[in-house]
Amino acid sequence: MNYKLIVFALCTFALVGKSQGQIVDKKNLIEKNAQLEKIETGFAFTEGPAVSRLGDVYFTDQPNDKIIKWSFFTGKTEVFMENAGRSNGMFFDKEGNLIACADLDNQLWSIDDKGNKTVLIESYKGKKLNGPNDLFITPSGDMYITDPLYKRDYWTRDPESQQDGEHLYFLSANRLQFMPVDENLVRPNGIVGTPDGKNLYVSDPGANKIYKYDIIEDGYLSNREIYLERGSDGMTIDFRGNIYVTGEDGVKIYNKKSEEIGHIPIPEKWTANVTFAGPDRKTLFITASESVYKIRMKVYGTY
């Protein structure tokens, strides 16, 4: 997400506004008596939470060009990587590498546990991408990457699009096939898939929609349908198939029928992203503006 535009648009948004209020839990998803806890604050803009095998969360402080690690066991944060390519969305692959949407040079990186990076994608048809924003990795290792155009003041290149639109891309598990799989999006952003690898959800804030797809053979998508008439920054999913969406109203939860069944207000101007953390994947970890939060759940997620 374009953090500067968000701050600009919401600079007058009072913290007593939409992001305040009582937690709503219509389907008993949240642990009894659980409270929203602020883990740490003082960041510039937090994004891209990705959960490791052990349940720790790696997230970005994009304006400060850092990836931060939060330890589930100690509850503390530490800098994992500086000069992190202005990384935004991230996801761990099956080998334990952190895959990052490195917005500085419009690339997709693979980062090992020592912080060494490998560039996986740097262009399409000889031209730079707009700026990879978020990604999802299927159980088979295939990737889906959103590529909106949010013009950055730190780019040294022409900030206009070099692609013919803002698309959703597919990268095969063997890294040999990279192609757009939906070229009819306005500004794709958040993305998440079902743990069985059969369905994909993609947020298009430019169209104020979240779409649902069937994932079919060779990474292609079919049966696109509108899941929600709203956009979202980041998203996650629990084992029941409920979708957790983010934005200026904190975290809202929708079931498979697109019915709103929960709301976790966050006392920040913008809630950017969310994931399930901990060894049991029952801690909801939330990145929101200058802070990160957590709350214990009854349901668990896979990521």
Side-chain angles (χ1 to χ4, degrees):
M1 177 58 79
N2 188 338
Y3 65 90
K4 287 197 171 183
L5 285 179
I6 292 168
V7 172
F8 232 26
L10 300 176
C11 63
T12 59
F13 184 85
L15 293 183
V16 295
K18 293 182 181 179
S19 292
Q20 290 284 25
Q22 298 296 316
I23 291 174
V24 177
D25 183 13
K26 298 179 181 178
K27 295 296 180 180
N28 203 26
L29 306 176
I30 301 170
E31 191 174 90
K32 186 177 180 181
N33 298 322
Q35 299 293 318
L36 183 70
E37 300 177 53
K38 183 183 289 186
I39 297 171
E40 192 166 331
T41 192
F43 304 104
F45 188 84
T46 59
E47 248 287 11
V51 62
S52 72
R53 290 174 182 167
L54 296 177
D56 301 328
V57 175
Y58 293 66
F59 64 95
T60 68
D61 185 358
Q62 201 206 33
N64 288 323
D65 201 14
K66 295 177 181 179
I67 296 174
I68 311 294
K69 176 186 175 182
W70 171 71
S71 169
F72 175 83
F73 298 98
T74 67
K76 299 183 182 300
T77 64
E78 62 180 344
V79 175
F80 168 70
M81 185 179 187
E82 300 196 60
N83 300 315
R86 297 279 188 161
S87 289
N88 201 327
M90 303 190 296
F91 205 102
F92 276 96
D93 68 14
K94 292 188 297 183
E95 288 72 40
N97 299 306
L98 184 61
I99 311 301
C101 293
D103 188 65
L104 180 63
D105 290 313
N106 313 90
Q107 298 172 335
L108 189 71
W109 288 4
S110 175
I111 305 168
D112 67 18
D113 59 0
K114 306 297 183 185
N116 302 306
K117 71 176 176 69
T118 301
V119 178
L120 300 181
I121 298 293
E122 58 183 349
S123 63
Y124 177 67
K125 292 187 174 180
K127 297 181 179 180
K128 281 189 175 294
L129 298 173
N130 296 316
N133 185 277
D134 207 351
L135 77 151
F136 170 73
I137 304 179
T138 70
S140 64
D142 293 333
M143 298 186 199
Y144 292 92
I145 304 119
T146 59
D147 185 46
L149 178 62
Y150 292 113
K151 299 176 184 179
R152 309 298 196 185
D153 58 9
Y154 47 76
W155 282 345
T156 57
R157 67 173 178 86
D158 182 348
E160 298 302 323
S161 175
Q162 296 187 51
Q163 299 298 323
D164 59 2
E166 304 180 34
H167 306 323
L168 172 67
Y169 289 85
F170 168 80
L171 177 63
S172 60
N174 61 12
R175 311 289 192 264
L176 297 178
Q177 186 177 25
F178 181 63
M179 63 182 182
V181 286
D182 191 343
E183 299 177 81
N184 295 300
L185 296 164
V186 179
R187 182 155 292 170
N189 196 305
I191 184 169
V192 72
T194 53
D196 60 11
K198 293 182 178 180
N199 296 108
L200 188 71
Y201 294 85
V202 177
S203 169
D204 186 353
N208 201 35
K209 302 278 192 299
I210 297 175
Y211 297 107
K212 179 183 178 183
Y213 305 79
D214 292 337
I215 299 174
I216 56 177
E217 190 176 0
D218 297 326
Y220 288 95
L221 303 174
S222 68
N223 299 325
R224 185 176 101 163
E225 62 182 42
I226 296 173
Y227 170 69
L228 280 177
E229 295 277 2
R230 65 158 290 170
S232 179
D233 197 341
M235 300 188 292
T236 195
I237 188 171
D238 66 28
F239 82 101
R240 295 182 185 174
N242 301 313
I243 303 294
Y244 297 65
V245 306
T246 59
E248 68 178 18
D249 48 7
V251 179
K252 287 201 170 183
I253 309 169
Y254 297 86
N255 64 17
K256 293 180 180 179
K257 298 179 180 179
S258 307
E259 299 165 334
E260 185 179 326
I261 58 172
H263 181 204
I264 304 172
I266 307 296
E268 302 282 343
K269 295 176 181 178
W270 188 260
T271 302
N273 218 322
V274 62
T275 194
F276 282 91
D280 60 1
R281 299 298 193 269
K282 285 188 174 182
T283 295
L284 197 66
F285 184 99
I286 303 157
T287 60
S289 296
E290 299 174 356
S291 308
V292 288
Y293 294 81
K294 66 177 180 176
I295 188 169
R296 284 293 290 174
M297 308 292 291
K298 281 189 175 180
V299 293
Y300 63 86
T302 304
Y303 25 75

